[in-house]
């Protein structure tokens, strides 16, 4: 348990009434309270001066994609929030491919096949994936149990489900599957909620919006601008589907309890936060208290964010939650949680203490470091392979800046922070790239696209080309990537991998959710620092079965298939 962990009374939410909802505009909300004895001064003086961590290389590696979202001459709410995509190995050749969503309507989504070492070619034509609607978010999983990774697309408008037929061809099965909800979909997550072996599906919905309900909002300069969601006063319910195991889903939003609380959902993550063996769901709401749906079993959920201390910050403010990330940051076995928010607000970083959350935002250094930006896609990722998770955030305003000469009045630099085991320190150059571009960034997709052990980032920017940030750190440590598969040969979503690393037990989970509107690399990545091997690696599948591998060598991708379980050397039964 690291020293940044806040030891003190559990704060199970705050009962302070809000006089209004914090919205999507950059208008400077009330500053959150700091923890006792912890300074919240800017950390710029402590920023580490490093060579660039990433090199932008989308165009030379074959990624030709530009995200466009304009609906009209004057601002419309859906235009300011898209930016989704997914990392997935759709052809199971060991290289992560990319699926990127367009927000201008039919025919704009693109599928890029990874030819090896992070070199891509557009294979959209003939794939069945071009027409996806006004794209928002993506979820990936093998929903039909045939071993191939399928794609769910949450849209502003009817959602879509694409079945992977295994030959580079996807088939739109939305109608027969019953998952074409017509709302303002955002992030989505597949997870097995009832333990029957089939992945169920959770879809966040943002606002009950239509062109007829659009409002006129102006910023401080009098310019027409995007309205915060609170101005519409139109929160809506998320959607939860039960997988029936025959290729169809049933909407159980009402029966499960999910429809009992309205929100403005953007980010989602499905993790077992309380350690009872059932995966729960955390939803980041924009300008409303966040939701934590605790799984009660039998497909029933209870909203307990306030009771468990993660619905709002220490001052009682419900922030403009967008992206989320959940990893075991302090190595105590419990998944921790971060929610990113609006410029003027800090991130909300919660350490999990047995299913209750302690706000450690300021103690970790994230309070002052994050509040200067509007963050969307983010992730806890060990970029330098030192065994400690770092943090990356893709930034971009939702209210125009006051600069009348700005080429893009919503653009901001991204944020990269190095974890040192106690706190997070901003890395310079900002965002880890040199030069440091300012873009209106939204989704961030994390994964090792060239299989060299360094975690890369794909960033979706509104009105601009996609960025492929290849990890080029010259001082990266050793690494191990564990590719855990289920009985059908698909990624074993929900499995846990525990590695003994230099006296610590480090836990990673096989999952693709988190960040913002995106699906991530499902493989578990461990930074090993100067180690050339680890003594043991334990894999636990969702059904509770386990496998232990001994004396595992570093600097390799280890595929572990379901089948023989037990205690064996690292060379047995793996690829």
């Amino acid at each position: 348990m690291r020293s940044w962990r806040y030891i003190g009374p559990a704060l199970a939410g705050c009962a302070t009434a809000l006089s209004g909802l914090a919205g999507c505009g950059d208008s400077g909300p009330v500053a959150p309270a700091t923890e006792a004895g912890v300074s919240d001064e800017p950390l710029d003086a402590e920023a580490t001066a490093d060579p660039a961590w990433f090199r932008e290389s989308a165009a030379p590696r074959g990624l030709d994609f530009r995200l466009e979202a304009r609906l009209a001459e004057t601002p419309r709410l859906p235009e300011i929030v898209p930016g989704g995509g997914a990392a997935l190995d759709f052809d199971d050749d060991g290289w992560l491919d990319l699926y990127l969503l367009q927000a201008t309507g039919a025919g704009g989504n693109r599928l890029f096949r990874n030819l090896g070492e992070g070199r891509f070619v557009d294979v959209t034509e003939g794939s069945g994936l071009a027409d996806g609607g006004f794209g928002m978010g993506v979820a990936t999983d093998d929903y039909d149990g045939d071993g191939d990774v399928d794609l769910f697309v949450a849209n502003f408008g009817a959602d879509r489900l694409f079945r992977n037929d295994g030959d580079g061809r996807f088939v739109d099965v939305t109608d027969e599957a019953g998952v074409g909800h017509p709302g303002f979909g955002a992030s989505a997550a597949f997870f097995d909620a009832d333990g029957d072996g089939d992945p169920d599906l959770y879809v966040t919905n943002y606002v009950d919006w239509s062109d007829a309900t659009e409002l006129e909002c102006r910023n401080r300069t009098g310019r027409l601008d995007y309205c915060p969601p609170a101005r519409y006063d139109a929160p809506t319910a998320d959607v939860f589907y039960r997988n029936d195991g025959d290729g169809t889903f049933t909407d159980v939003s009402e029966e499960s309890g999910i429809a009992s609380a309205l929100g403005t959902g953007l980010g989602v993550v499905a993790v077992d936060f309380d350690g009872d063996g059932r995966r729960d769901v955390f939803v980041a709401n924009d300008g409303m208290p966040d939701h934590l749906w605790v799984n009660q079993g039998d497909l029933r959920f209870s909203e307990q964010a306030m009771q468990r201390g993660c619905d709002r910050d220490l001052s009682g403010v419900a922030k403009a939650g967008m992206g989320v990330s959940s990893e075991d940051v302090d190595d105590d076995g419990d998944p921790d949680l971060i929610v990113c928010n609006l410029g003027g607000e800090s991130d909300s970083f919660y350490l999990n203490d047995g299913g209750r959350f302690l706000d450690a935002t300021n103690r970790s250094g994230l309070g002052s470091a994050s509040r200067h930006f509007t963050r969307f896609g983010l992730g806890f990722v060990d970029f330098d392979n030192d065994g400690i998770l770092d943090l990356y955030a893709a930034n971009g305003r939702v209210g125009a800046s006051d600069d009348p000469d700005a080429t893009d009045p919503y653009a901001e630099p991204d944020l990269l922070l190095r974890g040192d085991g106690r706190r997070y320190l901003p890395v310079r150059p900002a965002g880890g790239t040199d030069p440091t571009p300012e873009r209106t960034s939204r989704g961030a997709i994390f994964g090792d696209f060239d299989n060299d052990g360094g975690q890369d980032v794909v960033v979706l920017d509104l009105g601009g080309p996609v960025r492929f940030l290849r990890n080029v750190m010259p001082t990266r440590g050793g690494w191990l990537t564990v590719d855990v598969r289920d009985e059908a040969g698909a990624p074993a979503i929900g499995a846990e991998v525990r590695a003994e690393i230099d006296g610590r037990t480090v836990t990673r989970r096989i999952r693709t959710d988190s960040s913002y509107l995106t699906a991530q690399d499902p493989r578990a990545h461990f930074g090993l620092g100067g180690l050339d091997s680890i003594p043991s690696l334990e894999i636990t599948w969702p059904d509770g079965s386990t496998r232990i591998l001994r004396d595992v060598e570093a600097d390799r991708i280890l595929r572990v298939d379901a089948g023989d379980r037990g205690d064996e050397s690292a060379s047995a039964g793996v690829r």
Side-chain angles (χ1 to χ4, degrees):
M1 197 176 290
R2 300 208 178 97
S3 59
W4 64 36
R5 187 177 178 99
Y6 172 54
I7 306 299
L11 297 176
C14 179
T16 304
L18 300 179
S19 59
L21 294 176
C24 214
D26 296 308
S27 56
V30 177
T34 58
E35 297 166 21
V38 178
S39 172
D40 194 29
E41 291 300 313
L43 292 177
D44 289 350
E46 300 181 57
T48 59
D50 292 308
W53 289 30
F54 306 108
R55 178 179 300 126
E56 206 296 294
S57 52
R61 288 181 174 259
L63 289 178
D64 181 11
F65 179 84
R66 183 181 181 90
L67 175 61
E68 301 290 354
R70 291 306 299 269
L71 294 172
E73 291 299 318
T74 55
R76 297 290 187 269
L77 179 64
E79 300 171 349
I80 198 63
V81 289
L88 75 159
D89 184 2
F90 76 85
D91 51 3
D92 198 23
D93 65 352
W95 299 97
L96 283 177
D97 311 300
L98 273 169
Y99 183 54
L100 305 179
L101 299 190
Q102 187 55 268
T104 54
N109 298 349
R110 312 308 295 171
L111 178 66
F112 294 91
R113 183 185 178 195
N114 190 336
L115 299 176
E117 299 181 348
R119 296 175 294 112
F120 296 90
V121 61
D122 189 331
V123 294
T124 310
E125 186 175 354
S127 70
L129 288 175
D131 185 3
F134 189 102
M136 286 291 292
V138 186
T140 60
D141 203 348
D142 176 18
Y143 84 92
D144 55 357
D146 66 354
D148 300 316
V149 179
D150 308 301
L151 280 162
F152 175 82
V153 178
N155 286 320
F156 166 54
D159 301 330
R160 310 287 280 274
L161 177 64
F162 296 96
R163 185 186 67 224
N164 186 345
D165 273 359
D167 57 357
R169 172 75 180 172
F170 289 78
V171 179
D172 187 337
V173 294
T174 307
D175 292 340
E176 63 188 77
V179 293
H181 190 273
F184 194 160
S187 294
F190 282 108
F191 70 105
D192 187 1
D194 51 6
D196 65 353
D198 297 319
D200 308 298
L201 176 61
Y202 191 103
V203 186
T204 67
N205 281 310
Y206 186 36
V207 175
D208 186 7
W209 183 93
S210 69
D211 194 65
T213 64
E214 184 56 271
L215 304 171
E216 182 178 290
C217 294
R218 296 182 181 272
N219 62 19
R220 288 172 293 191
T221 67
R223 171 181 174 171
L224 283 171
D225 211 340
Y226 297 100
C227 298
R231 288 288 302 276
Y232 300 94
D233 192 22
T236 186
D238 296 338
V239 183
F240 179 56
Y241 299 99
R242 180 189 68 221
N243 189 331
D244 295 327
D246 58 0
T248 67
F249 291 79
T250 298
D251 186 338
V252 292
S253 307
E254 295 286 347
E255 303 95 306
S256 66
I258 296 299
S260 64
L262 302 181
T264 47
L266 286 177
V268 68
V269 62
V271 181
D272 179 11
F273 287 110
D274 56 4
D276 64 356
R278 298 186 291 261
R279 290 174 71 182
D280 314 300
V281 181
F282 179 88
V283 178
N285 287 315
D286 186 358
M288 297 181 66
D290 296 327
H291 288 154
L292 177 61
W293 295 103
V294 178
N295 193 333
Q296 307 293 298
D298 298 323
L299 288 179
R300 296 286 302 176
F301 291 84
S302 172
E303 204 294 293
Q304 299 182 17
M306 185 181 74
Q307 298 94 308
R308 293 177 181 262
C310 58
D311 67 326
R312 62 193 83 192
D313 72 6
L314 285 173
S315 67
V317 171
K319 297 177 181 175
M322 275 86 81
V324 298
S325 182
S326 178
E327 296 288 350
D328 182 13
V329 177
D330 54 4
D331 296 335
D332 66 350
D334 296 328
D336 307 303
L337 181 67
I338 189 169
V339 187
C340 63
N341 301 296
L342 192 70
E345 302 172 341
S346 69
D347 288 341
S348 294
F349 175 42
Y350 302 105
L351 287 167
N352 187 346
D353 187 15
R356 293 172 69 85
F357 293 89
L358 310 175
D359 192 325
T361 307
N362 295 318
R363 184 172 295 274
S364 66
L366 289 171
S368 57
S370 63
R371 70 173 66 251
H372 305 293
F373 308 97
T374 293
R375 289 84 61 205
F376 279 86
L378 86 165
F380 281 123
V381 180
D382 186 359
F383 292 111
D384 54 2
N385 289 347
D386 65 351
I388 301 171
L389 293 169
D390 310 301
L391 183 66
Y392 185 94
N395 304 327
R397 298 168 61 93
V398 291
S401 70
D402 296 338
D403 182 0
D405 299 321
T407 303
D408 180 353
Y410 302 96
E412 293 181 320
D414 293 341
L415 181 66
L416 175 63
L417 301 112
R418 183 202 292 270
D420 69 0
R422 299 180 306 106
R423 55 192 290 138
Y424 286 94
L425 302 175
V427 171
R428 298 290 182 266
T433 61
D434 187 13
T436 301
E438 294 195 6
R439 302 284 188 269
T440 306
S441 303
R442 294 297 181 253
I445 307 170
F446 303 98
D448 184 1
F449 291 94
D450 50 7
N451 285 348
D452 67 348
Q455 296 292 292
D456 312 304
V457 191
V458 174
V459 183
L460 283 301
D461 298 326
L462 280 174
V466 65
R467 285 182 288 148
F468 176 47
L469 306 184
R470 181 170 177 260
N471 189 327
V472 294
M473 286 196 70
T475 57
R476 287 200 311 257
W479 57 280
L480 176 69
T481 296
V482 186
D483 183 2
V484 183
R485 301 300 182 104
D486 63 17
E487 297 285 353
I493 304 299
E496 294 189 358
V497 185
R498 285 172 290 277
E500 294 300 318
I501 301 176
D502 205 17
R504 300 157 47 214
T505 300
V506 179
T507 303
R508 300 286 182 261
R509 292 166 174 82
I510 304 300
R511 41 195 289 264
T512 63
D513 53 9
S514 79
S515 190
Y516 176 78
L517 305 181
T518 53
Q520 316 301 316
D521 186 345
R523 301 171 296 184
H525 171 262
F526 297 90
L528 303 182
L531 300 178
D532 55 15
S533 67
I534 58 174
S536 70
L537 187 76
E538 181 179 12
I539 300 103
T540 302
W541 277 263
D543 64 3
S545 58
T546 63
R547 188 172 186 181
I548 298 176
L549 303 175
R550 305 288 183 183
D551 300 320
V552 182
E553 294 181 357
D555 301 337
R556 60 189 297 204
I557 297 173
L558 192 66
R559 174 165 167 165
V560 184
D561 292 302
D564 293 338
R565 314 290 167 88
D567 190 339
E568 54 196 287
S569 71
S571 61
V574 300
R575 292 196 288 171

